[in-house]
Amino acid sequence: MLETIQQLDRQLLLAINHAHSPVLDAVMVFASNRLVWFPVYAVLVGWLIYHFRWRAALLLPLVIAAVGLADSITSRLFKPFFGRPRPCHDASLDHLLHLPDGCGGQFGFLSSHAANSMALTVFLAIILPPGRFRGLKIGVFAWFVLLSYSRVYLGAHYPTDVLGGAAVGALMGWLAAVAFRRWAPHWWPEQA
């Protein structure tokens, strides 16, 4: 069973990686670049402060904790523990891959990019009022999909690295949202 999953993982990686073009190369390298995220996240933080006002004093540390924990768990726990090389560091694959952005660190299981973006996505999906801010929720989810796809496209991760990272991120985002929903009413009770 494990061998079948690994074979499927490898085939899907190669199919995505080989469907490349100069335009897609530029888009995927851009999406994976962490420096690109800072202005986007700065605008998002400003919007959250504007919308949540004083409740942002609880919300921002929780979302930062969710993203930070997702990043730490995947980078500092899973990657060294499993020691699974990135596809671009696998001697049986490296000559088959198109690598427009180089290779990156040695280990790839789990994807921190997927974990971080999924933690943010799940947190916002839960704490933003139902039926409101649909465009923002869809936009953040689309960002997660693009970022996750880019990691496989660039040969930095296998699809299972991305799925596992997304699972860790979803759990961290959910836990942070549960904490916000539990603590926010105690700090800022509804007006009678």
Side-chain angles (χ1 to χ4, degrees):
M1 175 75 167
L2 183 59
E3 190 174 314
T4 302
I5 292 171
Q6 288 174 335
Q7 192 68 351
L8 182 59
D9 210 18
R10 183 183 167 118
Q11 290 171 355
L12 190 53
L13 162 77
L14 291 172
I16 292 170
N17 180 259
H18 289 172
H20 61 84
S21 72
V23 171
L24 278 177
D25 287 355
V27 169
M28 298 305 165
V29 168
F30 179 82
S32 279
N33 185 339
R34 289 184 183 214
L35 295 178
V36 168
W37 308 354
F38 292 125
V40 173
Y41 289 155
V43 169
L44 181 60
V45 165
W47 183 87
L48 289 170
I49 291 169
Y50 173 78
H51 178 72
F52 283 90
R53 306 273 191 249
W54 290 105
R55 291 179 297 157
L58 173 62
L59 182 143
L60 291 176
L62 285 172
V63 74
I64 290 167
V67 172
L69 281 170
D71 189 72
S72 292
I73 289 168
T74 55
S75 295
R76 294 193 171 108
L77 182 67
F78 277 88
K79 286 179 183 175
F81 180 79
F82 288 100
R84 180 184 187 186
R86 291 178 186 270
C88 53
H89 285 298
D90 183 339
S92 68
L93 273 179
D94 64 355
H95 65 286
L96 299 173
L97 294 173
H98 172 69
L99 302 172
D101 196 30
C103 191
Q106 185 174 356
F107 301 128
F109 187 78
L110 299 170
S111 169
S112 299
H113 283 73
N116 299 346
S117 57
M118 181 54 95
L120 177 66
T121 300
V122 168
F123 181 80
L124 291 178
I126 294 171
I127 62 112
L128 292 176
R132 295 185 60 207
F133 310 113
R134 185 179 177 152
L136 178 62
K137 292 175 188 177
I138 291 170
V140 173
F141 180 74
W143 176 249
F144 157 75
V145 170
L146 173 64
L147 194 56
S148 297
Y149 184 84
S150 76
R151 304 310 292 156
V152 178
Y153 177 95
L154 295 171
H157 290 288
Y158 291 97
T160 53
D161 298 347
V162 169
L163 292 174
V168 168
L171 178 61
M172 295 301 106
W174 177 77
L175 289 171
V178 166
F180 180 76
R181 287 233 168 132
R182 173 171 278 176
W183 295 336
H186 298 290
W187 289 13
W188 299 281
E190 293 290 326
Q191 298 294 329

